[in-house]
Amino acid sequence: MAPSLVKSLLLAAACASSVSAQIDVDLSSADSVKTAMATIAYNLLSYYKGNLSGMTPGILPGPPPNGDYYWWEGGALWGTMVDYWHYTGDTSYNPTTEYSLVFQAGAPSNSYEPANWTASLGNDDQGFWGMSAMLAAETNFENPPSSDPQWLALAQAVFNTQAARWDTQYCNGGLRWQIPLSNNGYDYKNSIANGIFFNLGARLARYTGNDSYAQWAEKAYNWTADVGYIDENYNIYDGAHVEHNCTDINKAQFSYVAATFIQGAGFMYNYTNGSALWEQRLTSLTNRTLDVFFPNGIAVELSCELTSSIQCTTDMLSYKCYLHRWLAQVTQVAPFIASTILPVLKTSTEAAVKNCNADGTCGFRWTTSSYDGDTGAGQEMNALGALMSVLITLESVSSAYTNTTGGTSVGNSAAGVGSTVSSTNYSAITAGDRAGASILTIIVISGLVSMLVWMSTGEGEMFRLGFFGKGKGMM
Ligand SMILES: *[C@@H]1O[C@H](CO)[C@@H](O)[C@H](O)[C@H]1NC(C)=O
Ligand SMILES: *[C@@H]1O[C@H](CO)[C@@H](O)[C@H](O)[C@H]1NC(C)=O
Ligand SMILES: *[C@@H]1O[C@H](CO)[C@@H](O)[C@H](O)[C@H]1NC(C)=O
Ligand SMILES: *[C@@H]1O[C@H](CO)[C@@H](O)[C@H](O)[C@H]1NC(C)=O
Ligand SMILES: *[C@@H]1O[C@H](CO)[C@@H](O)[C@H](O)[C@H]1NC(C)=O
Ligand SMILES: *[C@@H]1O[C@H](CO)[C@@H](O)[C@H](O)[C@H]1NC(C)=O
Ligand SMILES: *[C@@H]1O[C@H](CO)[C@@H](O)[C@H](O)[C@H]1NC(C)=O
Ligand SMILES: *[C@@H]1O[C@H](CO)[C@@H](O)[C@H](O)[C@H]1NC(C)=O
Ligand SMILES: *[C@@H]1O[C@H](CO)[C@@H](O)[C@H](O)[C@H]1NC(C)=O
Ligand SMILES: *[C@@H]1O[C@H](CO)[C@@H](O)[C@H](O)[C@H]1NC(C)=O
């Protein structure tokens, strides 16, 4: 054959394979969307090794350096899988999901503070597991046997332990980031920890009808705004330090923080029967989020998904999942905002699925209109979350249940009260810490580079990178 013919045949083959490599999904067909979701879910669960012999149930491979994923992301994964079942009715992964959420509950207190993970235990990490348990109650996900902890009680335990940690000594209130005093980041009060506490309070108020939760939720939101983490334009910044009375605000913005507050505001709106205060907060937060995180109608994790390069940590690579799911969900408890939110989630999802291959492998940068090669559990959770946010428009998906509308989870309003996290021995210096300290020195020397990374990732996430983290490598 003539070389030019070989070349054109090869080109044709390459085009054919790249076309067939993209996942085939019709976003106007519920069946098609569900089929695509099943493919992506199957691929996503291939990252989970916790049910293999010798591995720890409930967690994704990690935490670093033993794998890419911190403990919290397991909790986020199982919440995603609760929603996967809720949206599709596919029960394939329910046993694994239920077992994982129970296994990591952290007996005996069952407040998602298991001893194994104390070295990276932030209120946000604990809170992610708590929000997944709350979702299980709200969706009436299958209840564990009565000898095991129950979904509602687990969420209440997380909430109660956090309420007990509300700290009035500095900054006029608020939750610190880390739970153990010896963890780096204990002196940082951040928006995500307080946002999750707010979110859980709002949802517990609606689910149980107990106004104490709503009062806490309002207090947590007001504190976050008063301290300036939520500004007058409804931007939400990362956090600040107690030694500066929380005035040295790190202005990095992350989409999951916004989504956490938006969902909480939606539940407060619903719980208060549509109060003017929560309608206004929900509308303003949503407006700002759509403008900031969806340029051209496509989700972008702007603090780390830079035009020139992707600086996101493994954690950040999963935030679009929560952004899509929680914005979609809020349209059920606050239907007035649906026509503002859902069309944007749809254009974003159209872009997201172009980044998925036929085998359910999905990339990260949704503006590329083809697979970008940057895959992982977080990226696939993102695509799954995006498809849910379209499925909600194609068929009826039940709205979050409450104690009086079909929720059957058994609660315990005193769950977790009095539980404490032992932090005594995590301050011992290990070889891993020394390695961390020398990395710190290198970073201080290469000041320019560190400043760039600092600015693009936010300080909180620097800890997660392990640069300052003592103990992150433990266990
Ligand atoms: C582990 O879980 C995955 C996903 O649910 C499943 O496909 C696989 O068969 C399970 N493996 C074992 C050994 O249970
Ligand atoms: C804690 O770690 C031990 C040792 O690796 C493991 O056997 C156990 O299952 C873990 N428990 C949890 C809740 O992660
Ligand atoms: C309402 O919630 C608060 C806070 O958790 C709790 O102390 C109180 O006992 C609850 N009240 C009822 C009636 O359950
Ligand atoms: C929270 O802030 C709103 C708006 O400023 C205010 O109306 C409300 O009274 C505050 N609630 C509490 C508990 O401070
Ligand atoms: C700390 O900030 C709060 C507002 O966030 C303010 O009320 C308080 O007076 C400040 N305390 C000091 C010591 O500056
Ligand atoms: C919302 O309305 C219901 C039914 O009218 C009422 O029972 C409930 O107390 C109201 N809730 C609030 C927080 O005002
Ligand atoms: C948000 O509000 C501003 C000012 O009213 C408006 O220009 C903008 O279009 C709104 N954005 C969205 C997404 O609604
Ligand atoms: C509260 O949520 C329910 C769905 O669970 C919805 O039907 C109702 O309209 C919402 N209330 C308000 C004030 O939007
Ligand atoms: C609803 O909550 C109340 C108060 O906690 C409790 O007595 C009742 O059993 C709950 N109902 C259901 C269906 O769980
Ligand atoms: C911490 O270490 C001390 C001695 O180094 C020991 O007495 C204590 O039991 C340890 N505490 C925990 C919770 O392991």
Side-chain angles (χ1 to χ4, degrees), residues 128-141:
F128 251 91
W129 286 89
M131 288 191 291
S132 294
M134 188 72 227
L135 180 66
E138 288 164 346
T139 56
N140 215 10
F141 187 67

PDB file of all heavy atoms in Angstrom, residues 128-141:
ATOM      1  N   PHE A 128     -17.452  14.480  56.978  1.00  0.00           N
ATOM      2  CA  PHE A 128     -17.823  13.861  55.703  1.00  0.00           C
ATOM      3  C   PHE A 128     -18.494  12.509  55.922  1.00  0.00           C
ATOM      4  O   PHE A 128     -19.501  12.189  55.279  1.00  0.00           O
ATOM      5  CB  PHE A 128     -16.607  13.728  54.776  1.00  0.00           C
ATOM      6  CG  PHE A 128     -16.694  14.685  53.620  1.00  0.00           C
ATOM      7  CD1 PHE A 128     -16.148  15.954  53.714  1.00  0.00           C
ATOM      8  CD2 PHE A 128     -17.366  14.335  52.461  1.00  0.00           C
ATOM      9  CE1 PHE A 128     -16.257  16.852  52.670  1.00  0.00           C
ATOM     10  CE2 PHE A 128     -17.480  15.225  51.408  1.00  0.00           C
ATOM     11  CZ  PHE A 128     -16.925  16.490  51.512  1.00  0.00           C
ATOM     12  N   TRP A 129     -17.951  11.729  56.843  1.00  0.00           N
ATOM     13  CA  TRP A 129     -18.597  10.450  57.165  1.00  0.00           C
ATOM     14  C   TRP A 129     -19.977  10.721  57.761  1.00  0.00           C
ATOM     15  O   TRP A 129     -20.952  10.023  57.454  1.00  0.00           O
ATOM     16  CB  TRP A 129     -17.735   9.655  58.145  1.00  0.00           C
ATOM     17  CG  TRP A 129     -16.510   9.064  57.516  1.00  0.00           C
ATOM     18  CD1 TRP A 129     -15.271   9.654  57.392  1.00  0.00           C
ATOM     19  CD2 TRP A 129     -16.384   7.763  56.927  1.00  0.00           C
ATOM     20  NE1 TRP A 129     -14.390   8.791  56.766  1.00  0.00           N
ATOM     21  CE2 TRP A 129     -15.043   7.621  56.478  1.00  0.00           C
ATOM     22  CE3 TRP A 129     -17.265   6.699  56.742  1.00  0.00           C
ATOM     23  CZ2 TRP A 129     -14.573   6.465  55.845  1.00  0.00           C
ATOM     24  CZ3 TRP A 129     -16.794   5.537  56.121  1.00  0.00           C
ATOM     25  CH2 TRP A 129     -15.465   5.427  55.676  1.00  0.00           C
ATOM     26  N   GLY A 130     -20.064  11.751  58.609  1.00  0.00           N
ATOM     27  CA  GLY A 130     -21.348  12.095  59.224  1.00  0.00           C
ATOM     28  C   GLY A 130     -22.389  12.491  58.190  1.00  0.00           C
ATOM     29  O   GLY A 130     -23.562  12.105  58.276  1.00  0.00           O
ATOM     30  N   MET A 131     -21.971  13.256  57.172  1.00  0.00           N
ATOM     31  CA  MET A 131     -22.930  13.658  56.132  1.00  0.00           C
ATOM     32  C   MET A 131     -23.389  12.446  55.315  1.00  0.00           C
ATOM     33  O   MET A 131     -24.533  12.401  54.854  1.00  0.00           O
ATOM     34  CB  MET A 131     -22.319  14.721  55.212  1.00  0.00           C
ATOM     35  CG  MET A 131     -22.172  16.077  55.887  1.00  0.00           C
ATOM     36  SD  MET A 131     -21.737  17.403  54.719  1.00  0.00           S
ATOM     37  CE  MET A 131     -20.072  16.927  54.282  1.00  0.00           C
ATOM     38  N   SER A 132     -22.497  11.475  55.132  1.00  0.00           N
ATOM     39  CA  SER A 132     -22.903  10.269  54.396  1.00  0.00           C
ATOM     40  C   SER A 132     -23.903   9.464  55.208  1.00  0.00           C
ATOM     41  O   SER A 132     -24.872   8.917  54.656  1.00  0.00           O
ATOM     42  CB  SER A 132     -21.673   9.428  54.034  1.00  0.00           C
ATOM     43  OG  SER A 132     -20.869  10.141  53.112  1.00  0.00           O
ATOM     44  N   ALA A 133     -23.702   9.391  56.524  1.00  0.00           N
ATOM     45  CA  ALA A 133     -24.672   8.699  57.387  1.00  0.00           C
ATOM     46  C   ALA A 133     -26.007   9.444  57.363  1.00  0.00           C
ATOM     47  O   ALA A 133     -27.078   8.826  57.297  1.00  0.00           O
ATOM     48  CB  ALA A 133     -24.130   8.607  58.814  1.00  0.00           C
ATOM     49  N   MET A 134     -25.943  10.772  57.382  1.00  0.00           N
ATOM     50  CA  MET A 134     -27.170  11.580  57.331  1.00  0.00           C
ATOM     51  C   MET A 134     -27.931  11.307  56.036  1.00  0.00           C
ATOM     52  O   MET A 134     -29.154  11.161  56.018  1.00  0.00           O
ATOM     53  CB  MET A 134     -26.790  13.062  57.438  1.00  0.00           C
ATOM     54  CG  MET A 134     -27.954  14.005  57.602  1.00  0.00           C
ATOM     55  SD  MET A 134     -28.693  13.888  59.243  1.00  0.00           S
ATOM     56  CE  MET A 134     -30.422  13.790  58.842  1.00  0.00           C
ATOM     57  N   LEU A 135     -27.196  11.230  54.930  1.00  0.00           N
ATOM     58  CA  LEU A 135     -27.813  10.950  53.636  1.00  0.00           C
ATOM     59  C   LEU A 135     -28.481   9.574  53.648  1.00  0.00           C
ATOM     60  O   LEU A 135     -29.570   9.391  53.088  1.00  0.00           O
ATOM     61  CB  LEU A 135     -26.756  11.025  52.528  1.00  0.00           C
ATOM     62  CG  LEU A 135     -27.264  10.752  51.117  1.00  0.00           C
ATOM     63  CD1 LEU A 135     -28.230  11.842  50.658  1.00  0.00           C
ATOM     64  CD2 LEU A 135     -26.080  10.639  50.138  1.00  0.00           C
ATOM     65  N   ALA A 136     -27.811   8.612  54.295  1.00  0.00           N
ATOM     66  CA  ALA A 136     -28.393   7.268  54.376  1.00  0.00           C
ATOM     67  C   ALA A 136     -29.737   7.326  55.113  1.00  0.00           C
ATOM     68  O   ALA A 136     -30.705   6.667  54.715  1.00  0.00           O
ATOM     69  CB  ALA A 136     -27.424   6.306  55.061  1.00  0.00           C
ATOM     70  N   ALA A 137     -29.813   8.144  56.175  1.00  0.00           N
ATOM     71  CA  ALA A 137     -31.090   8.293  56.889  1.00  0.00           C
ATOM     72  C   ALA A 137     -32.117   8.986  55.987  1.00  0.00           C
ATOM     73  O   ALA A 137     -33.262   8.544  55.893  1.00  0.00           O
ATOM     74  CB  ALA A 137     -30.880   9.097  58.173  1.00  0.00           C
ATOM     75  N   GLU A 138     -31.708  10.044  55.315  1.00  0.00           N
ATOM     76  CA  GLU A 138     -32.640  10.833  54.499  1.00  0.00           C
ATOM     77  C   GLU A 138     -33.167  10.065  53.287  1.00  0.00           C
ATOM     78  O   GLU A 138     -34.253  10.373  52.781  1.00  0.00           O
ATOM     79  CB  GLU A 138     -31.945  12.106  53.998  1.00  0.00           C
ATOM     80  CG  GLU A 138     -31.721  13.139  55.086  1.00  0.00           C
ATOM     81  CD  GLU A 138     -30.705  14.201  54.685  1.00  0.00           C
ATOM     82  OE1 GLU A 138     -29.972  14.012  53.686  1.00  0.00           O
ATOM     83  OE2 GLU A 138     -30.629  15.218  55.389  1.00  0.00           O
ATOM     84  N   THR A 139     -32.387   9.124  52.786  1.00  0.00           N
ATOM     85  CA  THR A 139     -32.824   8.364  51.616  1.00  0.00           C
ATOM     86  C   THR A 139     -33.470   7.043  52.025  1.00  0.00           C
ATOM     87  O   THR A 139     -33.872   6.267  51.170  1.00  0.00           O
ATOM     88  CB  THR A 139     -31.639   8.050  50.681  1.00  0.00           C
ATOM     89  OG1 THR A 139     -30.635   7.366  51.437  1.00  0.00           O
ATOM     90  CG2 THR A 139     -31.046   9.314  50.082  1.00  0.00           C
ATOM     91  N   ASN A 140     -33.507   6.799  53.326  1.00  0.00           N
ATOM     92  CA  ASN A 140     -34.003   5.520  53.828  1.00  0.00           C
ATOM     93  C   ASN A 140     -33.202   4.357  53.247  1.00  0.00           C
ATOM     94  O   ASN A 140     -33.758   3.315  52.878  1.00  0.00           O
ATOM     95  CB  ASN A 140     -35.494   5.368  53.521  1.00  0.00           C
ATOM     96  CG  ASN A 140     -36.223   4.631  54.635  1.00  0.00           C
ATOM     97  OD1 ASN A 140     -35.646   4.398  55.698  1.00  0.00           O
ATOM     98  ND2 ASN A 140     -37.458   4.257  54.389  1.00  0.00           N
ATOM     99  N   PHE A 141     -31.918   4.558  53.186  1.00  0.00           N
ATOM    100  CA  PHE A 141     -31.005   3.479  52.791  1.00  0.00           C
ATOM    101  C   PHE A 141     -31.160   2.347  53.806  1.00  0.00           C
ATOM    102  O   PHE A 141     -31.487   2.592  54.961  1.00  0.00           O
ATOM    103  CB  PHE A 141     -29.572   4.034  52.799  1.00  0.00           C
ATOM    104  CG  PHE A 141     -28.529   3.102  52.249  1.00  0.00           C
ATOM    105  CD1 PHE A 141     -28.515   2.763  50.902  1.00  0.00           C
ATOM    106  CD2 PHE A 141     -27.535   2.572  53.073  1.00  0.00           C
ATOM    107  CE1 PHE A 141     -27.535   1.920  50.389  1.00  0.00           C
ATOM    108  CE2 PHE A 141     -26.549   1.730  52.567  1.00  0.00           C
ATOM    109  CZ  PHE A 141     -26.559   1.399  51.220  1.00  0.00           C
TER     110      PHE A 141
END
